[in-house]
Amino acid sequence: MGAPAITRLTDPHLYSHGDPHAVWARLRRECPVSWHDEPDHDPFWAVTTYDEGLEVLSDWKRFSSANGTFLRPNLSDPYPGAGVMMTLSDPPRHDVLRKAAAALFTPKAAAGFRARAAEVSRSLLRGVIDAGPHDFVNDVSAPYPMQVIAGLLGVAGEDVERMAGYAEAAVGNIVDLDGTAAQQAHHEVLAYYAEVIEERRARPTNDVVSAFVLAQADGLDITDDEIILTCDNLAVAAGETTRQVLAGGLLALLANPAELAALRSGAVSLRSVNEELVRWTTPVNHLMRTAVADTLLGDVEIKAGQAVSVWLSSLNRDENVFDRPMELQLNRNPNRHVSFGGGRHFCIGAPLARVMIGVFLEETMRSVARIEQVGEPRRAPSYVTNSLESLPLAFSSQ
C-alpha cells in the first residue's frame, strides 16, 4: 500500500520548520501502514496507528530489533552493536543483557535518586532565576540528566560535562553513522569506558559498568566493547528523554496557561502530569524493526527483510485511543502513551526518567514564580528525535 502524496517522512525540514503532526494525521486516516520510497533513502514501511504500531513493537518474533532500531539512509550498512547489545538484540539475548542491569533501574532504585535530582534542580535553577533571558535547553535541561545519574553510568564527577557533550554529539548524528562528530564522540566514549571497565574489575561499585562486568565474570557472553556500546546507549537515551520532556513540556505549559495554573495549584497529580508531558513531547519520533519473515500487518503484506518504522509521535495522537489527542490534558486518564516504547524493549530507564522529570517540575513550581518565553524556540531537524535545540526563557522569583 503506497503512501499518499505527502512531504517525505525523512525530510529534516518537516521536523524543524514543518508540521509533522498534520502528515501523520493524514496517514492515520488514509494509509495507516504505508510504503515510502523516498529520495536518498532506502525504502521502508511507516506505521502510524496505535494498535498496529504496538503490534510491531511487541512481537519480536515477527519484527526484529537486531538490524537497528532507527531508520537511516542506507539500511544495508552494518549498524554498530546490531544483534549484540541490549537495545539492538532480540530475546533470549536481549533478556539476558537486560537482567544483568535491571536491578539498577527498578522503581525502588529510581526513587533513590530523588534527593540528588532535587539538589541538581535547585543548583541549575539558581543559575537562571532572576538572571534575565537564558536558553533553557542548553543551560538547564541538557546538563540536568547527566548531573543526576553520572554515578549510575560510571561517570566521575569531574567528567560529567565532558561526557554529556559526547552524548549530545552522538544523538545529534544518530542517522549519520559516518559523521565526523559522531565518530569522534564514539571514540571518546570508548576510550573513557575502557578505563572505567578496568577500574570496576578491580573495585566494583553500584553502577551499570560494574553490573555488566560482574555478569561478564559470571559467564555472560558480552565483550568489553559491547559493554561500552550499551553504556553509551543508556547515557544517550536517559539524557535525551529527560532533556526533551522538560524543554518541550515547559513550552507546552506556557501555551496552555490553564494547565500550568492547575499544576501550580496542585489540582492535578504529579504522576498524571508526568505521563501527559511524556505523551505530548514523545522524545523519540520513531522506532524501527525489520520483518523476520513475510507477514501481514492489518491487511498489508510485508516482506521478509523490509524495514518497518513505528511513528511513536503519531501513535500518541491516535484519535481512536486518546480523547482529544491534540490537546494538553494534565489530568488525562487513562494515558496509554508509547513514548517509552512497548513489548520486551520497553525503556529500562523509564522509572528513572519519571523521577527526574517529576522532581524537576516540583522544584521549578516551588521556586519559580513566573516563566516567560522571550524568543522563538528552535526545533532539531531530525526524524529520529523530537527535540528542541533552543528555548529562550526568563525565570523570575516573584
Side-chain angles (χ1 to χ4, degrees):
M1 185 183 295
I6 58 171
T7 305
R8 344 183 243 119
L9 287 178
T10 59
D11 178 9
H13 189 270
L14 174 64
Y15 304 92
S16 59
H17 294 86
D19 184 5
H21 283 290
V23 175
W24 292 319
R26 183 177 173 189
L27 285 173
R28 288 195 300 273
R29 290 191 307 268
E30 301 179 14
C31 201
V33 182
S34 54
W35 181 247
H36 295 254
D37 192 353
E38 303 180 352
D40 303 317
H41 202 288
D42 281 352
F44 58 92
W45 292 99
V47 183
T48 50
T49 44
Y50 189 95
D51 289 344
E52 288 78 6
L54 203 56
E55 181 179 342
V56 173
L57 295 177
S58 301
D59 195 342
W60 57 268
K61 292 182 179 178
R62 292 163 61 207
F63 301 101
S64 171
S65 300
N67 292 325
T69 53
F70 296 117
L71 291 171
R72 54 194 190 278
N74 190 341
L75 292 167
S76 62
D77 282 352
Y79 201 89
V84 178
M85 52 187 285
M86 183 169 63
T87 307
L88 303 175
S89 61
D90 301 314
R93 180 169 181 80
H94 170 269
D95 296 347
V96 171
L97 295 174
R98 191 179 180 104
K99 183 179 179 181
L104 297 174
F105 294 93
T106 64
K108 181 178 180 180
F113 283 86
R114 287 190 61 85
R116 176 60 181 164
E119 177 187 352
V120 173
S121 296
R122 289 192 290 266
S123 174
L124 290 170
L125 288 169
R126 280 196 298 269
V128 295
I129 293 174
D130 296 329
H134 67 275
D135 182 350
F136 180 78
V137 173
N138 291 305
D139 295 340
V140 182
S141 68
Y144 172 65
M146 183 64 78
Q147 289 188 23
V148 175
I149 61 170
L152 176 65
L153 298 172
V155 176
E158 63 270 20
D159 300 324
V160 167
E161 186 174 347
R162 182 161 58 98
M163 291 297 284
Y166 297 151
E168 187 173 348
V171 78
N173 292 272
I174 200 165
V175 174
D176 181 12
L177 297 179
D178 297 320
T180 303
Q183 283 189 342
Q184 182 60 31
H186 181 66
H187 173 78
E188 296 291 349
V189 172
L190 282 172
Y192 185 85
Y193 274 112
E195 294 183 7
V196 175
I197 285 174
E198 292 307 316
E199 292 173 2
R200 296 303 184 269
R201 281 204 176 98
R203 293 177 297 278
T205 63
N206 192 35
D207 63 18
V208 172
V209 184
S210 299
F212 281 116
V213 166
L214 291 171
Q216 189 183 49
D218 287 339
L220 178 65
D221 177 23
I222 184 172
T223 67
D224 287 358
D225 282 352
E226 290 158 6
I227 294 174
I228 291 167
L229 287 167
T230 298
C231 291
D232 181 42
N233 176 262
L234 290 170
V236 171
E240 279 303 295
T241 297
T242 307
R243 176 173 79 104
Q244 293 167 28
V245 172
L246 292 180
L250 274 189
L251 183 62
L253 289 168
L254 290 172
N256 295 270
E259 296 297 292
L260 177 57
L263 171 60
R264 283 195 179 281
S265 69
V268 289
S269 74
L270 198 58
R271 179 175 181 179
S272 174
V273 173
N274 249 2
E275 297 308 307
E276 179 64 349
L277 293 183
V278 172
R279 179 194 76 90
W280 184 264
T281 55
T282 314
V284 176
N285 270 325
H286 81 268
L287 290 172
M288 189 193 82
R289 300 291 186 261
T290 302
V292 174
D294 293 356
T295 189
L296 282 177
L297 184 62
D299 59 357
V300 176
E301 184 179 352
I302 294 173
K303 297 292 185 182
Q306 290 181 333
V308 182
S309 58
V310 177
W311 293 82
L312 305 181
S313 295
S314 179
L315 271 57
N316 281 341
R317 299 296 198 278
D318 191 331
E319 301 82 356
N320 292 319
V321 176
F322 298 95
D323 176 49
R324 293 178 292 166
M326 297 305 293
E327 295 180 16
L328 183 75
Q329 299 178 23
L330 296 184
N331 63 348
R332 185 179 294 277
N333 185 33
N335 192 346
R336 297 183 293 129
H337 68 77
V338 293
S339 296
F340 291 120
R344 301 284 264 277
H345 279 270
F346 185 86
C347 177
I348 192 173
L352 188 53
R354 286 173 166 130
V355 166
M356 288 194 290
I357 294 163
V359 169
F360 185 85
L361 289 174
E362 284 179 322
E363 294 298 329
T364 301
M365 294 303 106
R366 181 179 298 120
S367 59
V368 181
R370 187 161 57 90
I371 303 172
E372 182 183 1
Q373 185 179 334
V374 294
E376 289 301 313
R378 187 174 70 251
R379 293 197 169 275
S382 170
Y383 59 85
V384 176
T385 61
N386 179 24
S387 60
L388 290 166
E389 290 185 331
S390 176
L391 178 60
L393 298 178
F395 285 178
S396 302
S397 59
Q398 48 184 296

